[in-house]
Amino acid sequence: MAQATDETPATRPRRGESLEVEIDSLAFGGRGVARAGGYVVFVAGALPGDRVRAEVTKAKRRFAEARTVELLRPGADRVADRCIHGGEPCPGAPWQGLPYERQLVHKREQIDEALRRIGGLDDFELEETVPAIEEWRYRNKLEYSFGERDGEAILGFHARGRWDLIVPVEDCLLASEPGNAARNDVLGWARGESIPAYDRRARTGVLRNLVVREGRRTGQLQTRLVTAPASFPKPPVDLHTAIEGDSGGTDGPTGVLGEERLREELCGLRLEMSHDAFFQTNTEMAERLYAVAGEYAELSGERVFDLYCGIGTIGLTLAAGAGEVWGLEVVPGAIADAERNAERNGIANARFRAANARTGLRPLLEEAGRPDVVVLDPPRAGLSQKIVRRVLECEAKRIVYVSCNPTTLAPNAAQLVEAGYRLRRVRPVDMFPQTPHIECVALFERAA
Ligand SMILES: C[S@@+](CC[C@H](N)C(=O)[O-])C[C@H]1O[C@@H](n2cnc3c(N)ncnc32)[C@H](O)[C@@H]1O
């Protein structure tokens, strides 16, 4: 096939085409940005300064997407990959080739750029980043997929951009050593019992995924096996989820075979959580994140709303400084966990309600009265304009927004500022070293 280079005149690249390009920068989401014949190409698996051969996976009118097939010349900044599975860099650590300091610089720049370019904001203080405590082996949860090789089960990650190819994992440097051992034990059992992996194409077989969660402070490991509905010998796991059909997800009816809940300790609190409740994947950095939220909340006996509260972690860590805390969260199991967590820790001034933020905030406002401080910690999609309007109805003095996506924080911030709040401070907290994921805390104050 003919090969295009960056100097090739502007013709729209085609899907499957091979390009030779040099990467100039990093896009939101972490892919390398290159220019080929006048087109912007977003290249997965490439870093600034790299010259790569890439295969076009999507070609649009104004840009193309591609995946790195060969690293022809590494960028001057590159460091050697450390987490490698089957000869491929770990798909969970796409930025491992960037020195850690550079990762922090890129993340900070992306927050700044999102707030300025998407949010149209400039009057805020972007504070120093809180770096990660551990650059490796920090994840308390990993999800693996089963596949087969030479008639035997393998367990690992999907190869980059491939739903049908699994790269086996021996030791993933994002997981702890006990977490890796737990995965390998379940694989040993599956091989010993000759249980076949589920084949999504043929819709045959049994084993789909294994989720390993770890209480970093308690040392507890919790394993959840996800399979197609089938009968097979009892697996050596805590939880078993059986999924019909082909959603590709891991959520479904779950039976308990061992420990139902995961126990963890955080900010001096003893916590327990259900398998379907959200918990920050970096326990040590969650403490740092919540400490920033607490610093920004500046509490001395106020009423606090903890919206998108999960198992209650932020609200419970703030409860000692607050008059009262009200948590709101859509997953009922997480709210049941939050209530138990309050009781377990002798916290009497926190209440939790299970509801969607869109419909549940007005009733909460009626029940609890106006909050002085609102803490927001939404999923990556951020808040809809309507939910921002509901938040504005709270008329809180301060809003502390914990964001895992600056590109959705930015429009929400613009709407808050438009309505009379001032974006005062933003502090990045690195929860996800070796990845492009960006977390930060933003403080909004209402003009008096
Ligand atoms: C990023 S997590 C934060 C959880 C918690 N603050 C923590 O630090 O562990 C976002 C949470 O929002 C919940 N959620 C998602 N959509 C929601 C909605 N529309 N209304 C209320 N909660 C929602 C999710 O279930 C999840 O627990």
Side-chain angles (χ1 to χ4, degrees):
M1 183 183 290
Q3 207 166 76
T5 67
D6 354 22
E7 290 80 35
T8 309
T11 47
R12 185 165 154 186
R14 286 180 318 258
R15 189 158 177 262
E17 194 173 332
S18 176
L19 305 175
E20 206 182 298
V21 288
E22 187 143 339
I23 308 298
D24 337 307
S25 57
L26 284 165
F28 282 115
R31 286 175 300 178
V33 182
R35 264 148 246 278
Y39 284 90
V40 172
V41 187
F42 296 104
V43 188
L47 297 171
D50 287 350
R51 184 159 190 88
V52 300
R53 196 157 58 76
E55 182 190 306
V56 176
T57 50
K58 213 180 254 177
K60 304 259 189 182
R61 210 157 58 83
R62 292 177 179 279
F63 67 91
E65 293 177 8
R67 66 180 182 91
T68 300
V69 176
E70 191 183 351
L71 178 57
L72 299 169
R73 196 206 57 221
D77 262 1
R78 264 222 183 231
V79 292
D81 287 342
R82 286 180 54 187
C83 191
I84 297 171
H85 309 303
E88 291 280 318
C90 176
W95 274 15
Q96 61 177 310
L98 270 183
Y100 186 58
E101 291 308 315
R102 296 294 312 156
Q103 296 179 27
L104 294 181
V105 169
H106 283 296
K107 291 184 187 190
R108 194 160 186 280
E109 282 173 0
Q110 293 196 349
I111 294 172
D112 198 45
E113 200 180 320
L115 289 169
R116 287 178 199 281
R117 294 239 308 248
I118 305 173
L121 302 164
D122 51 17
D123 184 21
F124 59 89
E125 187 188 346
L126 181 56
E127 299 175 338
E128 285 306 311
T129 304
V130 182
I133 298 167
E134 302 289 347
E135 291 172 28
W136 292 101
R137 298 207 188 276
Y138 60 84
R139 284 190 69 99
N140 59 27
K141 179 181 180 187
L142 275 132
E143 203 171 292
Y144 303 99
S145 299
F146 282 95
E148 268 184 29
R149 186 175 284 178
D150 304 327
E152 200 174 45
I154 56 172
L155 187 49
F157 297 125
H158 283 272
R160 195 169 43 221
R162 297 282 301 268
W163 62 270
D164 56 342
L165 184 68
I166 303 299
V167 221
V169 170
E170 263 295 314
D171 178 22
C172 179
L173 296 184
L174 298 176
S176 71
E177 277 142 352
N180 276 296
R183 182 202 56 246
N184 292 341
D185 285 352
V186 176
L187 178 63
W189 162 83
R191 285 180 171 170
E193 299 288 351
S194 304
I195 302 175
Y198 182 74
D199 181 333
R200 277 175 74 187
R201 205 172 268 146
R203 301 189 176 191
T204 57
V206 178
L207 303 169
R208 288 173 176 262
N209 304 92
L210 180 75
V211 184
V212 180
R213 281 181 108 174
E214 185 180 356
R216 304 275 291 194
R217 301 280 165 66
T218 59
Q220 183 194 350
L221 284 160
Q222 186 192 55
T223 46
R224 181 164 66 93
L225 183 66
V226 184
T227 70
S231 66
F232 51 86
K234 184 171 179 241
V237 294
D238 294 299
L239 301 160
H240 173 218
T241 303
I243 297 186
E244 302 251 16
D246 231 8
S247 72
T250 62
D251 293 337
T254 297
V256 181
L257 303 171
E259 299 255 20
E260 183 174 4
R261 284 175 214 294
L262 185 69
R263 297 178 299 281
E264 184 56 290
E265 287 169 20
L266 192 83
C267 303
L269 299 172
R270 286 176 303 118
L271 303 170
E272 282 192 19
M273 66 202 87
S274 315
H275 76 87
D276 57 348
F278 176 91
F279 187 67
Q280 300 285 349
T281 44
N282 185 335
T283 308
E284 292 79 7
M285 290 310 292
E287 285 188 336
R288 301 292 161 104
L289 184 74
Y290 298 162
V292 178
E295 182 187 329
Y296 282 8
E298 243 187 285
L299 294 175
S300 55
E302 289 92 337
R303 180 180 298 136
V304 179
F305 279 7
D306 176 12
L307 307 181
Y308 304 87
C309 69
I311 63 165
T313 39
I314 300 184
L316 293 175
T317 59
L318 297 181
E324 55 192 70
V325 169
W326 295 80
L328 190 76
E329 154 70 43
V330 77
V331 175
I335 286 295
D337 291 340
E339 283 166 345
R340 276 192 293 263
N341 286 330
E343 200 177 320
R344 182 173 294 114
N345 291 282
I347 297 173
N349 63 342
R351 289 182 186 77
F352 297 93
R353 298 288 177 260
N356 191 312
R358 190 168 48 80
T359 50
L361 194 45
R362 272 187 177 165
L364 181 65
L365 197 54
E366 245 168 64
E367 182 185 1
R370 286 198 198 295
D372 305 288
V373 177
V374 170
V375 178
L376 300 164
D377 185 9
R380 287 181 57 73
L383 310 179
S384 65
Q385 291 190 1
K386 183 166 179 180
I387 296 184
V388 175
R389 288 199 295 275
R390 295 284 170 273
V391 171
L392 289 168
E393 285 169 11
C394 294
E395 295 179 1
K397 277 190 306 222
R398 279 190 291 287
I399 297 174
V400 178
Y401 191 139
V402 179
S403 164
C404 55
N405 183 352
T407 66
T408 57
L409 166 66
N412 291 163
Q415 197 180 345
L416 291 170
V417 168
E418 172 74 27
Y421 280 87
R422 175 162 169 233
L423 173 57
R424 288 269 325 279
R425 309 164 68 180
V426 181
R427 195 177 303 168
V429 179
D430 191 29
M431 309 283 287
F432 309 104
Q434 325 306 338
T435 82
H437 296 297
I438 302 175
E439 191 91 16
C440 67
V441 187
L443 171 64
F444 299 85
E445 276 180 357
R446 196 153 61 95

